[in-house]
Amino acid sequence: MREVKVVSNAATHKRGFGAVLWDYLTTVDHKKIAHLYLFSGGFFFLMGGIEAMLIRIQLIKPNSEFLSNGLYNEVLTMHGTTMIFLAAMPLIFALMNAAVPLQIGARDVAFPFINSLGFWLFLFGGLILNCSWFLGGAPDAGWTAYAPLSTTSPGHGVDFYVIGLQIAGAGTLIGGINFLVTIVNMRAPGMTYMRMPLFTWSVFITSILILFAFPALTVGLFLLMFERMFGAGFFDASLGGNAIIWEHLFWIFGHPEVYILILPLFGLFSDLFSTFSKKRLFGYTAMVFATMLIAFLGFMVWAHHMFTVGLGPVANSIFAIATMAIAVPTGIKIFNWLATMWGGQITINSAMLWALGFIPTFTLGGMTGVMVASVVADYQYHDSYFVVAHFHYVIVGGTIFGIFAGLHYWWPKMFGRILHEGMGKLTFWTFLIGFHLTFFIQHFLGLMGMPRRYSTYLPNQGLDLGNLISTIGAFFMAFAVIVFVINVFYTAAKGEKAPADPWDGRTLEWATASPPAHYNFKQVPLVRGLDPLWIEKTEGKGKLTPSEPLGDIHMPNASILPFVMSLGLFIAGFGFIYQVDDKGWLAVVFIGMAITLGSMLIRSLKDDLGHHITKEELEREAD
Amino acid sequence: MKGWMGKFRALTLFGSLALLLSGCGQENLSALIPKGYGAEKSLDLIILTAIIMLFVLLIVMLVYITVLVRFRKKKGQKDFIPKQVEGNKTLETIWTVIPILLLIIIAVPTVAATFDLADESGAKDKLNVEVTGNQYWWHFNYKGQEIQTSQDLYIPTGEKVYLNMKSSDVIHSFWVPAISGKMDVNPENENTMFIKANEEGVYYGKCAELCGPSHALMDFKIIAVSPEEFDQWVKDMQNVDPKAVAEGETAKQGQTLFEESNCMGCHAIGSSPVQVGPNLTNFGERTRIAGILDHNKENLISWIMNPDSIKPGNKMDGKYPELSRDEASKIADYLLQLKPSSITAEDAGK
Ligand code: HEM
Ligand SMILES: [Cu+2]
C-alpha cells in the first residue's frame, strides 16, 4: 500500500530532491507529464513575456535606442516563436494531459512512452532554440521566417530556429497522435462519441489538425534546412527557386496551427460555462459539428495570410469568402455559450472570470477577423499593427485566457490544492485591463500607418501617444503574471486542500481523488449519458457505477529512454548547425544520433511488459 | 451599388472626423484619411465591415450583460438546479442564418472591389513605373521616359499610375496608406498595381514586410503634383546633363571626389540604369536623406561618413575609401546642388 501511495502522490509527499527529479525524468504517467508541460511551458511563457516587454519598452517612444535594430528583430522573432511553439502549445498539452484521460474514464493514455517522448522532444527543441541567445545570436527573420530573408540571414540564428522547431515539432506531432489514439480507443464503456465532454471532443479534433498540419511544417523546415546548410536553392529565385513556396508551406501549417491553439480552449470554455451555470451545454451536437467545421475550414484558408502577395483577384476572392465562412460556426459557438448560461445559476470564481472575459475579447478578435478577411480592406491591415492587435485578441483572448481558466479550474485536480481566489481575481482584472489597454489602440496605430515588426518609428507621425499607451498596458499584464506566479508558490505552500469535486462538476475527472491515484480509476466507470457525474448526482448516488469488478490493474513502467533519445537529438542538433563551419562537427552529429538510435534499439529489443497493481493492494486503498 | 456605397462615403467622412477629433492619424500617412483611389476603396470596406461587426458585437454584448445580470448567483440566493435544456432548433437556426446573410453583404462588395483594384486593362496607355525594392531603399524607373529616381516617386494627380514591382533581394512590401493598400515586392515575379492620388501632396510610404535590421527605416515618399507640373518635371528630368559641372569651389571639389571615391560604382546621376545604390539625379530636391533623416547638410555628412550607424545592414557601408569630414562636406555640397527641376515637394502643396 505504501508503495502505491508514494508513487501516486509524489508531488505532495516530502521526498528527496533527487528522487523527485528521477521520478519526473522517467515518468510515463500522463498526470506528471502534465506537470512537466505546465512548468516548462510556463517557463517559456515567462521568457516570451520578457521578450514582449523588451519590445514594448523599445517602442515606448519614437527613435528609441533601447534595443539596436538587429537585436530588436531577434527579440521579436523569439517572442513570436516562443509564445506559439514553446508556451501556448505545451500549456495546452498540459491541460490535455491533465484532463483528457480522466474525462473519458481511462486509466492511462494509449502510448505512455510516446507521450513522454513527445514532451522531452518539445523541451529539448525549445532549449536548442533558446541556446541561440548565448551562441552568437537568435533567429531574426520573424516567427514566419519568410525566405529569402531567412535563407540569407547571417550567423546561425535561423539554423537554431530550423533545428529547434524541427525537434519540438516532432514532439508535438507524436503527442497529438497519442491523444488521437487515446480518445478513439480508451473511452470507458458507455462513453460514446456523442457523450464525450466538449474539451475531449475538441482535443480529438485538434489532434487531427496536428496530424495533418505539422507534416507541412516538417517539410518546410527540411527544405529551409537544406537551403541554409547545403545551398539547395528551393527558395532562391536566382537559382530558379521560388520564395513564395515557403509562404504557402508555412501557412498550410500555420493557419491550422492557430486553430490548434484555439479549439481545445473552445472545448474547455464549453465545459466551464456548463459547470458554473449548472446546466448542460446548449446545442451540444451543434457545438461538435461547429468544431469540426471550423477545423475543416481552417485548412482551406491559409492564403488569407497572403492577400498582398499578388496571387490575383480570383484566388484572393475565394480565400476571402472561405475565411468569412468560419465566422458562422464560431458565431454559433458564442451564442450557444450564452444560451448555456441563460436560465442557469452562474457562479463567478476566478476560473469562470477568465471564461467570461473571453467572450467579449474573443468576439472583438473574431470581428476584426472578418474585417481582415475582406481582401481590399486587408490591403491596408496586412502586416500593420491592426493585424498585431487582431491576432493578440484571438490568441491571448482565446488561448491565454483559456489556459488561465483551465489552470484555475483543474489546479485542484492536478495538485490537490485550490489556487488562492483573491490573487486569482487580481490577476484576472489587471490582465484584462492591461490587455485591452495594450492591444485595442493598436488597431488604430495600424490604420494610422504603423507597419508591423518595426524596431522604431519616427516622431511627428502621429504614432507616439498610441505606442505609449500600449506600453503602459503591457506593464499591467506583466504585473498580473507576477501575481499569478506568486499565487502558485503561495498555493503550493499554504493553499487550501482540494476535495475530489470542488466545483460541483459534471464530468468524470471530478469523480476521482484530487490529485488522482496514478491508475486514475480503481474501477473503470460505466457511462450512462452526457455529463456522467451529474447524472449520478441527480439520481442521488453521487458515485459512479463501475463497469467492471475490482481486479488487477496493468500499468506501464517508468523509463529514462524518452529523455535520452531526446537528449541525443539535442546533441546532434548542434552538430547539424555547426558542421557548416567545420566538418569536425559531424562527429557530434554521429554521437548524438548514436545515442538516439541506440536508445531506440534498446527500446525495441528489451521486453518491458509493465507491472500490475494487485487487487489486494487496491482493496486496502481508501476511496 | 454606387448609391449605397455613397452613403458609406458619408460615414467615412463621419468616421475620419471622429478620429481627427480624438487627435488620431496624420493626414499624409493615415489609411483613415484616404487621398487616393485604392485607399478610398479600402476605407469603404473597412467602414462597412466595422459597422456590421459592431452590430454583431452589440447583440452579443446585450445578451451577455443580460445573462450576467439576470442569472448570476446572487448573495444569499439558495442553490437550485436549473432546467437542463438540450437546445432549441429555432434559435440555433436564427443564429446560423443571420450571420450568413451579413457575410453575404460583406462578400459582394469585397469581391467587386478586389477585381476593380486588380484591373490592369488600361495599363498600356498610362504612366508605368518600374519599382524595385532593395534593402533598404526604393528605386523608380519611369518606363519609356528615360527617368530614374530613388526614394521620391513623383506622380500626376487624378491619373492612374501603374507600378510594376520587383525585389532585388528579399521580400518587401510597398505601402502608402493614404493612397492605397500594400502590395508585396517579390524577388521572383513582377507584381502590378495602380495608384491614383486625388490631391496634391507628399505622402509617406513604408516597407511593410520584414526585410532585415533596417526594415523600419525603409521609408519613401510619393509626391503628387498637378498633371501640368508633372509634365514640367518630366521635361526637366529628361534634360539633365549628368556631366554638368557643379557651381562653387567646394562643390566642384566635391564632384571630383564623388567621381574618384568610387561612389559612381553604385550610384548614378542621370538616366543610366545603375541600381546597386539609389540614383541621385534629383538628390538636392529630396524630402529626406536615406528616406528618414531631415534633408540638411549635417545629416548628409553623417550619412556619408557612417551609413551603417544610421541604417544598420545597408549595402553602402565600406564600399568606398574612408573619407575625412572635410571631404564628406565637399561631396555634400555637390550633391545638394543636384536640383534639375523647378518642381519640388513644395509644389505638392505641403
Ligand atoms: C505580455 C503580453 C504580450 C505583449 C505585450 C505582446 C506584444 C507584442 C508585440 C509588441 C509584438 C510585435 C509586433 C510587431 O512589431 O510586429 C508581438 C508580436 C507577436 N506576438 Fe505578442 N505580445 C504578448 C503576448 C503574446 C502571446 C501570449 C502570444 C501567443 C501565444 C503572442 C504572439 C505573438 C506573435 C506570434 C507575434 C509575431 C511575431 C513576429 O511577427 O514574428 N504574443 N507581440
Ligand atoms: Cu523592406
mmCIF file of all heavy atoms in Angstrom, chain A residues 124-153:
data_model
loop_
_atom_site.group_PDB
_atom_site.id
_atom_site.type_symbol
_atom_site.label_atom_id
_atom_site.label_comp_id
_atom_site.label_asym_id
_atom_site.label_seq_id
_atom_site.Cartn_x
_atom_site.Cartn_y
_atom_site.Cartn_z
ATOM 1 N N PHE A 124 13.569 19.767 -25.338
ATOM 2 C CA PHE A 124 14.925 19.925 -25.879
ATOM 3 C C PHE A 124 14.923 20.802 -27.126
ATOM 4 O O PHE A 124 15.858 21.580 -27.347
ATOM 5 C CB PHE A 124 15.560 18.559 -26.152
ATOM 6 C CG PHE A 124 16.146 17.943 -24.911
ATOM 7 C CD1 PHE A 124 15.617 16.788 -24.357
ATOM 8 C CD2 PHE A 124 17.229 18.536 -24.276
ATOM 9 C CE1 PHE A 124 16.147 16.234 -23.204
ATOM 10 C CE2 PHE A 124 17.770 17.992 -23.119
ATOM 11 C CZ PHE A 124 17.223 16.836 -22.585
ATOM 12 N N GLY A 125 13.862 20.710 -27.935
ATOM 13 C CA GLY A 125 13.744 21.614 -29.082
ATOM 14 C C GLY A 125 13.725 23.067 -28.620
ATOM 15 O O GLY A 125 14.440 23.926 -29.145
ATOM 16 N N GLY A 126 12.929 23.319 -27.597
ATOM 17 C CA GLY A 126 12.831 24.675 -27.062
ATOM 18 C C GLY A 126 14.153 25.148 -26.486
ATOM 19 O O GLY A 126 14.533 26.310 -26.626
ATOM 20 N N LEU A 127 14.865 24.231 -25.844
ATOM 21 C CA LEU A 127 16.159 24.618 -25.263
ATOM 22 C C LEU A 127 17.159 24.962 -26.358
ATOM 23 O O LEU A 127 17.885 25.950 -26.258
ATOM 24 C CB LEU A 127 16.701 23.491 -24.375
ATOM 25 C CG LEU A 127 15.927 23.293 -23.061
ATOM 26 C CD1 LEU A 127 16.508 22.123 -22.264
ATOM 27 C CD2 LEU A 127 15.937 24.571 -22.222
ATOM 28 N N ILE A 128 17.177 24.147 -27.433
ATOM 29 C CA ILE A 128 18.093 24.458 -28.540
ATOM 30 C C ILE A 128 17.814 25.864 -29.043
ATOM 31 O O ILE A 128 18.713 26.690 -29.194
ATOM 32 C CB ILE A 128 17.893 23.479 -29.721
ATOM 33 C CG1 ILE A 128 18.439 22.113 -29.369
ATOM 34 C CG2 ILE A 128 18.571 24.008 -30.990
ATOM 35 C CD1 ILE A 128 18.738 21.244 -30.562
ATOM 36 N N LEU A 129 16.531 26.134 -29.280
ATOM 37 C CA LEU A 129 16.158 27.442 -29.814
ATOM 38 C C LEU A 129 16.697 28.552 -28.912
ATOM 39 O O LEU A 129 17.266 29.542 -29.374
ATOM 40 C CB LEU A 129 14.633 27.504 -29.895
ATOM 41 C CG LEU A 129 14.022 28.594 -30.751
ATOM 42 C CD1 LEU A 129 14.589 28.551 -32.150
ATOM 43 C CD2 LEU A 129 12.518 28.400 -30.803
ATOM 44 N N ASN A 130 16.528 28.373 -27.609
ATOM 45 C CA ASN A 130 16.947 29.436 -26.700
ATOM 46 C C ASN A 130 18.445 29.488 -26.461
ATOM 47 O O ASN A 130 18.962 30.525 -26.042
ATOM 48 C CB ASN A 130 16.182 29.334 -25.380
ATOM 49 C CG ASN A 130 14.841 30.025 -25.497
ATOM 50 O OD1 ASN A 130 14.759 31.241 -25.409
ATOM 51 N ND2 ASN A 130 13.793 29.250 -25.762
ATOM 52 N N CYS A 131 19.141 28.384 -26.746
ATOM 53 C CA CYS A 131 20.606 28.427 -26.661
ATOM 54 C C CYS A 131 21.165 29.474 -27.620
ATOM 55 O O CYS A 131 22.244 30.030 -27.399
ATOM 56 C CB CYS A 131 21.207 27.069 -27.013
ATOM 57 S SG CYS A 131 21.073 25.883 -25.683
ATOM 58 N N SER A 132 20.417 29.741 -28.695
ATOM 59 C CA SER A 132 20.922 30.680 -29.691
ATOM 60 C C SER A 132 21.260 32.034 -29.074
ATOM 61 O O SER A 132 22.180 32.710 -29.520
ATOM 62 C CB SER A 132 19.885 30.864 -30.806
ATOM 63 O OG SER A 132 18.692 31.400 -30.278
ATOM 64 N N TRP A 133 20.539 32.408 -28.012
ATOM 65 C CA TRP A 133 20.842 33.697 -27.363
ATOM 66 C C TRP A 133 22.301 33.776 -26.933
ATOM 67 O O TRP A 133 22.913 34.844 -26.968
ATOM 68 C CB TRP A 133 19.973 33.892 -26.120
ATOM 69 C CG TRP A 133 18.562 34.286 -26.385
ATOM 70 C CD1 TRP A 133 17.439 33.614 -25.999
ATOM 71 C CD2 TRP A 133 18.090 35.458 -27.064
ATOM 72 N NE1 TRP A 133 16.321 34.287 -26.401
ATOM 73 C CE2 TRP A 133 16.689 35.422 -27.051
ATOM 74 C CE3 TRP A 133 18.723 36.535 -27.701
ATOM 75 C CZ2 TRP A 133 15.902 36.413 -27.638
ATOM 76 C CZ3 TRP A 133 17.945 37.522 -28.273
ATOM 77 C CH2 TRP A 133 16.555 37.455 -28.238
ATOM 78 N N PHE A 134 22.837 32.634 -26.491
ATOM 79 C CA PHE A 134 24.184 32.648 -25.917
ATOM 80 C C PHE A 134 25.249 32.253 -26.935
ATOM 81 O O PHE A 134 26.422 32.296 -26.648
ATOM 82 C CB PHE A 134 24.258 31.692 -24.724
ATOM 83 C CG PHE A 134 23.122 31.904 -23.771
ATOM 84 C CD1 PHE A 134 22.042 31.041 -23.754
ATOM 85 C CD2 PHE A 134 23.120 33.006 -22.925
ATOM 86 C CE1 PHE A 134 20.975 31.259 -22.897
ATOM 87 C CE2 PHE A 134 22.060 33.229 -22.065
ATOM 88 C CZ PHE A 134 20.983 32.349 -22.051
ATOM 89 N N LEU A 135 24.793 31.823 -28.120
ATOM 90 C CA LEU A 135 25.757 31.274 -29.074
ATOM 91 C C LEU A 135 25.780 32.099 -30.350
ATOM 92 O O LEU A 135 25.691 31.578 -31.443
ATOM 93 C CB LEU A 135 25.415 29.814 -29.375
ATOM 94 C CG LEU A 135 25.491 28.902 -28.145
ATOM 95 C CD1 LEU A 135 24.902 27.531 -28.450
ATOM 96 C CD2 LEU A 135 26.929 28.764 -27.675
ATOM 97 N N GLY A 136 25.850 33.406 -30.194
ATOM 98 C CA GLY A 136 26.051 34.240 -31.373
ATOM 99 C C GLY A 136 24.802 34.833 -31.977
ATOM 100 O O GLY A 136 24.849 35.393 -33.061
ATOM 101 N N GLY A 137 23.681 34.730 -31.291
ATOM 102 C CA GLY A 137 22.521 35.469 -31.779
ATOM 103 C C GLY A 137 21.335 34.599 -32.136
ATOM 104 O O GLY A 137 21.466 33.519 -32.714
ATOM 105 N N ALA A 138 20.172 35.099 -31.784
ATOM 106 C CA ALA A 138 18.926 34.366 -32.011
ATOM 107 C C ALA A 138 18.464 34.572 -33.457
ATOM 108 O O ALA A 138 18.959 35.449 -34.146
ATOM 109 C CB ALA A 138 17.874 34.881 -31.032
ATOM 110 N N PRO A 139 17.500 33.751 -33.909
ATOM 111 C CA PRO A 139 16.944 33.964 -35.246
ATOM 112 C C PRO A 139 16.317 35.354 -35.335
ATOM 113 O O PRO A 139 15.829 35.888 -34.350
ATOM 114 C CB PRO A 139 15.876 32.878 -35.374
ATOM 115 C CG PRO A 139 15.604 32.405 -33.994
ATOM 116 C CD PRO A 139 16.881 32.601 -33.244
ATOM 117 N N ASP A 140 16.321 35.921 -36.543
ATOM 118 C CA ASP A 140 15.868 37.312 -36.660
ATOM 119 C C ASP A 140 14.983 37.533 -37.877
ATOM 120 O O ASP A 140 14.865 38.649 -38.353
ATOM 121 C CB ASP A 140 17.082 38.243 -36.726
ATOM 122 C CG ASP A 140 17.973 37.936 -37.917
ATOM 123 O OD1 ASP A 140 17.684 36.955 -38.630
ATOM 124 O OD2 ASP A 140 18.944 38.670 -38.137
ATOM 125 N N ALA A 141 14.386 36.473 -38.401
ATOM 126 C CA ALA A 141 13.589 36.638 -39.619
ATOM 127 C C ALA A 141 12.093 36.564 -39.335
ATOM 128 O O ALA A 141 11.293 36.335 -40.228
ATOM 129 C CB ALA A 141 13.979 35.588 -40.652
ATOM 130 N N GLY A 142 11.690 36.774 -38.080
ATOM 131 C CA GLY A 142 10.274 36.681 -37.728
ATOM 132 C C GLY A 142 9.878 35.230 -37.493
ATOM 133 O O GLY A 142 10.555 34.312 -37.966
ATOM 134 N N TRP A 143 8.786 35.035 -36.747
ATOM 135 C CA TRP A 143 8.426 33.631 -36.462
ATOM 136 C C TRP A 143 7.965 32.929 -37.729
ATOM 137 O O TRP A 143 7.947 31.718 -37.811
ATOM 138 C CB TRP A 143 7.387 33.543 -35.348
ATOM 139 C CG TRP A 143 5.950 33.698 -35.772
ATOM 140 C CD1 TRP A 143 5.315 34.866 -36.026
ATOM 141 C CD2 TRP A 143 4.975 32.659 -35.956
ATOM 142 N NE1 TRP A 143 4.012 34.632 -36.369
ATOM 143 C CE2 TRP A 143 3.769 33.281 -36.333
ATOM 144 C CE3 TRP A 143 4.996 31.260 -35.832
ATOM 145 C CZ2 TRP A 143 2.606 32.563 -36.598
ATOM 146 C CZ3 TRP A 143 3.836 30.556 -36.101
ATOM 147 C CH2 TRP A 143 2.654 31.201 -36.474
ATOM 148 N N THR A 144 7.615 33.726 -38.757
ATOM 149 C CA THR A 144 7.210 33.143 -40.027
ATOM 150 C C THR A 144 8.403 32.819 -40.922
ATOM 151 O O THR A 144 8.254 32.116 -41.917
ATOM 152 C CB THR A 144 6.310 34.120 -40.788
ATOM 153 O OG1 THR A 144 6.973 35.393 -40.817
ATOM 154 C CG2 THR A 144 4.989 34.299 -40.096
ATOM 155 N N ALA A 145 9.581 33.346 -40.597
ATOM 156 C CA ALA A 145 10.837 33.006 -41.284
ATOM 157 C C ALA A 145 10.727 33.018 -42.801
ATOM 158 O O ALA A 145 11.212 32.102 -43.473
ATOM 159 C CB ALA A 145 11.358 31.648 -40.806
ATOM 160 N N TYR A 146 10.120 34.057 -43.362
ATOM 161 C CA TYR A 146 9.971 34.110 -44.809
ATOM 162 C C TYR A 146 11.326 34.061 -45.511
ATOM 163 O O TYR A 146 12.255 34.778 -45.157
ATOM 164 C CB TYR A 146 9.271 35.410 -45.218
ATOM 165 C CG TYR A 146 7.754 35.373 -45.129
ATOM 166 C CD1 TYR A 146 7.088 34.329 -44.493
ATOM 167 C CD2 TYR A 146 6.988 36.391 -45.685
ATOM 168 C CE1 TYR A 146 5.710 34.310 -44.414
ATOM 169 C CE2 TYR A 146 5.607 36.375 -45.606
ATOM 170 C CZ TYR A 146 4.966 35.336 -44.969
ATOM 171 O OH TYR A 146 3.602 35.324 -44.894
ATOM 172 N N ALA A 147 11.410 33.215 -46.550
ATOM 173 C CA ALA A 147 12.566 33.235 -47.430
ATOM 174 C C ALA A 147 12.376 34.445 -48.343
ATOM 175 O O ALA A 147 11.242 34.845 -48.587
ATOM 176 C CB ALA A 147 12.613 31.957 -48.248
ATOM 177 N N PRO A 148 13.402 35.025 -48.899
ATOM 178 C CA PRO A 148 14.821 34.727 -48.730
ATOM 179 C C PRO A 148 15.463 35.409 -47.513
ATOM 180 O O PRO A 148 16.649 35.218 -47.309
ATOM 181 C CB PRO A 148 15.455 35.309 -50.001
ATOM 182 C CG PRO A 148 14.380 35.988 -50.761
ATOM 183 C CD PRO A 148 13.154 36.013 -49.945
ATOM 184 N N LEU A 149 14.665 36.170 -46.737
ATOM 185 C CA LEU A 149 15.287 36.790 -45.564
ATOM 186 C C LEU A 149 15.867 35.714 -44.656
ATOM 187 O O LEU A 149 16.983 35.830 -44.154
ATOM 188 C CB LEU A 149 14.252 37.624 -44.809
ATOM 189 C CG LEU A 149 14.805 38.397 -43.622
ATOM 190 C CD1 LEU A 149 15.811 39.431 -44.083
ATOM 191 C CD2 LEU A 149 13.689 39.075 -42.833
ATOM 192 N N SER A 150 15.107 34.624 -44.457
ATOM 193 C CA SER A 150 15.582 33.576 -43.562
ATOM 194 C C SER A 150 16.732 32.793 -44.181
ATOM 195 O O SER A 150 17.618 32.335 -43.468
ATOM 196 C CB SER A 150 14.434 32.630 -43.221
ATOM 197 O OG SER A 150 13.895 32.071 -44.392
ATOM 198 N N THR A 151 16.724 32.630 -45.489
ATOM 199 C CA THR A 151 17.797 31.829 -46.074
ATOM 200 C C THR A 151 19.096 32.623 -46.143
ATOM 201 O O THR A 151 20.167 32.047 -46.209
ATOM 202 C CB THR A 151 17.435 31.357 -47.501
ATOM 203 O OG1 THR A 151 17.073 32.495 -48.273
ATOM 204 C CG2 THR A 151 16.287 30.392 -47.476
ATOM 205 N N THR A 152 18.987 33.955 -46.145
ATOM 206 C CA THR A 152 20.200 34.758 -46.265
ATOM 207 C C THR A 152 20.620 35.377 -44.934
ATOM 208 O O THR A 152 21.659 36.024 -44.876
ATOM 209 C CB THR A 152 19.987 35.903 -47.278
ATOM 210 O OG1 THR A 152 18.795 36.605 -46.914
ATOM 211 C CG2 THR A 152 19.831 35.365 -48.682
ATOM 212 N N SER A 153 19.817 35.195 -43.893
ATOM 213 C CA SER A 153 20.170 35.784 -42.604
ATOM 214 C C SER A 153 21.527 35.262 -42.144
ATOM 215 O O SER A 153 21.754 34.060 -42.089
ATOM 216 C CB SER A 153 19.086 35.435 -41.580
ATOM 217 O OG SER A 153 19.575 35.625 -40.287
#
